[in-house]
């Protein structure tokens, strides 16, 4: 009942125009839940923030002129992370927006530097509309040669009025929502990484949990044939899809997962055994004692530390 009453109170305040206050409360709640390892509840609050963002998107955003073409760009920097929220307005109608997360800026970087970098890169291949509405000071004359405006002269508005001001406020609110979700998700994952290190008694490389590299292996096949193995890589508190690898398993009897695991691990770590690269801090094997024993044998044959091997078994009560 208490949670329901709190939701009702937040809804009333939101409808009264107190969106910023409600958002800040939800952000704080989400971060605290993540810090307490209550990830499912934190995810529910994250979804509430997403719903608020969609409501902001759907608010009235038409002008009386009806012919305005503009891009609205809001930059927000918090905790070393930057969010650039780009909203497109065409014919006076808001067409939606999208958050971008540039590479983490230098500690001393300010919103204007992030904005200038984004504008110069974003419009390198795209035509800019006649008007850019921004929330930080940028030198339009300096940027003009680097972008392709749709009009002969690009107008940059730092302090817009009327409806344009409303667009910018919406872009700033959505940047805050997107960045809050991003930081909360990163914070949750950092807590997970540290908890894993503690549970397994590992040592974080150079004392930094973000430097822990995890490689995960799984063997799959179709009706016992077309055997493949996948390697998923995790570091910097996040999965790294660009580093994923898939291996076609050859010369192994259909359904022989042990032999398939042996082959993929040997292929993956032979070069490390030759001194070409560093062994991950943790290698997760999808399987129980049998698969882990195969992995241990491979590591022993290659002269690698088998202490980084951990098996992940479903267990007898695991639901499909």
């Amino acid at each position: 009942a208490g949670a329901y009453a709190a939701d009702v109170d937040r809804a009333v305040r939101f409808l009264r125009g107190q969106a910023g206050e409600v958002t800040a409360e939800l952000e704080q709640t989400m971060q605290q839940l993540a810090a307490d390892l209550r990830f499912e509840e934190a995810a529910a609050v994250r979804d509430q923030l997403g719903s608020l963002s969609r409501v902001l998107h759907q608010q009235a955003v038409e002008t009386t002129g009806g012919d305005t073409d503009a891009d609205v760009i809001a930059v927000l920097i918090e905790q070393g992370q930057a969010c650039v929220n780009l909203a497109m307005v065409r014919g006076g109608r808001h067409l939606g927006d999208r958050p971008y997360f540039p590479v983490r800026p230098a500690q001393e970087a300010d919103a204007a530097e992030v904005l200038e970098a984004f504008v110069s890169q974003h419009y390198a291949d795209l035509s800019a509309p006649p008007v850019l509405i921004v929330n930080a000071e940028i030198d339009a004359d300096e940027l003009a040669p680097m972008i392709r405006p749709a009009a002969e002269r690009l107008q940059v508005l730092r302090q817009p009025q009327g409806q344009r001001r409303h667009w910018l406020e919406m872009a700033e609110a959505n940047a805050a929502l997107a960045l809050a979700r991003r930081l909360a998700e990163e914070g949750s994952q950092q807590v997970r990484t540290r908890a894993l290190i503690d549970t397994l008694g590992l040592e974080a490389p150079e004392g930094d949990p973000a430097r822990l590299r995890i490689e995960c292996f799984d063997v799959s096949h179709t009706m016992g044939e077309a055997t493949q193995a996948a390697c998923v890589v995790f570091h910097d508190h996040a999965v790294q899809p660009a580093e994923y690898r898939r291996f076609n398993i050859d010369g192994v009897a259909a359904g022989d997962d042990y032999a398939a695991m042996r082959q993929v691990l040997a292929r993956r770590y032979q070069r490390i055994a030759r001194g070409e690269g560093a062994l991950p801090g943790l290698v997760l094997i999808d399987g129980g004692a049998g698969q882990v024993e195969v992995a241990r044998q491979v590591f022993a044959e290659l002269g690698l530390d088998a202490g980084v091997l951990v098996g992940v078994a479903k267990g007898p009560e695991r639901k499909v």
Side-chain angles (χ1 to χ4, degrees):
Y4 178 78
D7 286 341
V8 171
D9 176 67
R10 279 193 289 265
V12 170
R13 286 185 290 138
F14 181 80
L15 293 173
R16 288 175 176 171
Q18 300 172 2
E21 179 182 319
V22 172
T23 298
E25 289 181 10
L26 290 173
E27 290 171 8
Q28 184 177 4
T29 300
M30 178 173 59
Q31 292 169 1
Q32 185 58 55
L33 289 169
D36 294 340
L37 305 184
R38 296 160 64 183
F39 300 118
E40 291 186 2
E41 294 172 72
V45 177
R46 178 200 63 202
D47 293 341
Q48 285 183 307
L49 284 168
S51 297
L52 291 182
S53 177
R54 287 190 291 274
V55 170
L56 289 174
H57 285 186
Q58 293 166 2
Q59 289 182 341
V61 289
E62 294 188 12
T63 67
T64 56
D67 59 352
T68 300
D69 286 351
D71 278 354
V72 187
I73 310 173
V75 177
L76 182 64
I77 301 177
E78 287 185 8
Q79 302 180 34
Q81 177 74 273
C83 177
V84 180
N85 194 84
L86 171 66
M88 294 188 299
V89 178
R90 298 295 183 266
R93 182 177 292 276
H94 188 288
L95 301 183
D97 58 4
R98 175 182 175 184
Y100 294 84
F101 299 95
V103 175
R104 292 180 184 272
Q107 291 295 324
E108 65 277 7
D110 58 20
E113 292 172 309
V114 174
L115 179 59
E116 288 184 358
F118 175 81
V119 169
S120 62
Q121 295 175 35
H122 183 75
Y123 297 110
D125 299 316
L126 299 174
S127 293
V131 178
L132 296 184
I133 303 171
V134 300
N135 71 335
E137 295 290 351
I138 59 174
D139 190 331
D141 293 334
E142 181 179 335
L143 287 173
M146 294 185 284
I147 63 180
R148 299 191 302 128
E152 293 183 0
R153 182 170 180 81
L154 180 67
Q155 183 182 17
V156 179
L157 300 180
R158 170 65 180 87
Q159 295 181 326
Q161 301 300 316
Q163 185 64 57
R164 291 176 173 180
R165 181 179 181 83
H166 177 56
W167 289 337
L168 184 57
E169 290 173 347
M170 286 182 59
E172 290 175 329
N174 286 320
L177 287 169
L179 189 53
R181 290 198 300 269
R182 179 90 163 196
L183 290 172
E185 289 167 0
E186 285 188 353
S188 298
Q189 191 54 65
Q190 290 172 14
V191 171
R192 289 189 181 103
T193 304
R194 293 189 183 96
L196 179 64
I197 289 174
D198 293 341
T199 300
L200 298 180
L202 302 175
E203 291 187 7
E206 302 179 16
D208 183 2
R211 298 179 66 86
L212 176 66
R213 181 182 179 89
I214 304 174
E215 295 191 356
C216 315
F217 292 86
D218 184 25
V219 173
S220 62
H221 50 76
T222 303
M223 301 298 290
E225 299 181 353
T227 304
Q228 292 187 328
C231 172
V232 172
V233 178
F234 178 100
H235 61 79
D236 291 330
H237 299 299
V239 294
Q240 305 294 331
E243 298 186 46
Y244 289 4
R245 296 294 181 269
R246 185 176 295 278
F247 302 82
N248 292 320
I249 304 301
D250 301 317
V252 170
D256 190 345
D257 288 351
Y258 292 163
M261 184 65 72
R262 174 183 294 276
Q263 182 178 131
V264 68
L265 293 175
R267 289 167 59 183
R268 178 68 171 177
Y269 295 116
Q270 279 175 346
R271 66 177 186 82
I272 292 178
R274 295 194 298 265
E276 302 173 7
L279 186 67
L282 179 63
V283 177
L284 297 180
I285 305 297
D286 182 29
Q291 283 88 347
V292 173
E293 174 58 23
V294 168
R296 188 198 64 78
Q297 293 173 11
V298 172
F299 274 50
E301 293 166 2
L302 295 175
L304 300 175
D305 178 14
V308 301
L309 294 168
V310 172
V312 181
K314 293 182 176 65
E317 298 180 0
R318 170 73 177 269
K319 294 182 179 179
V320 175

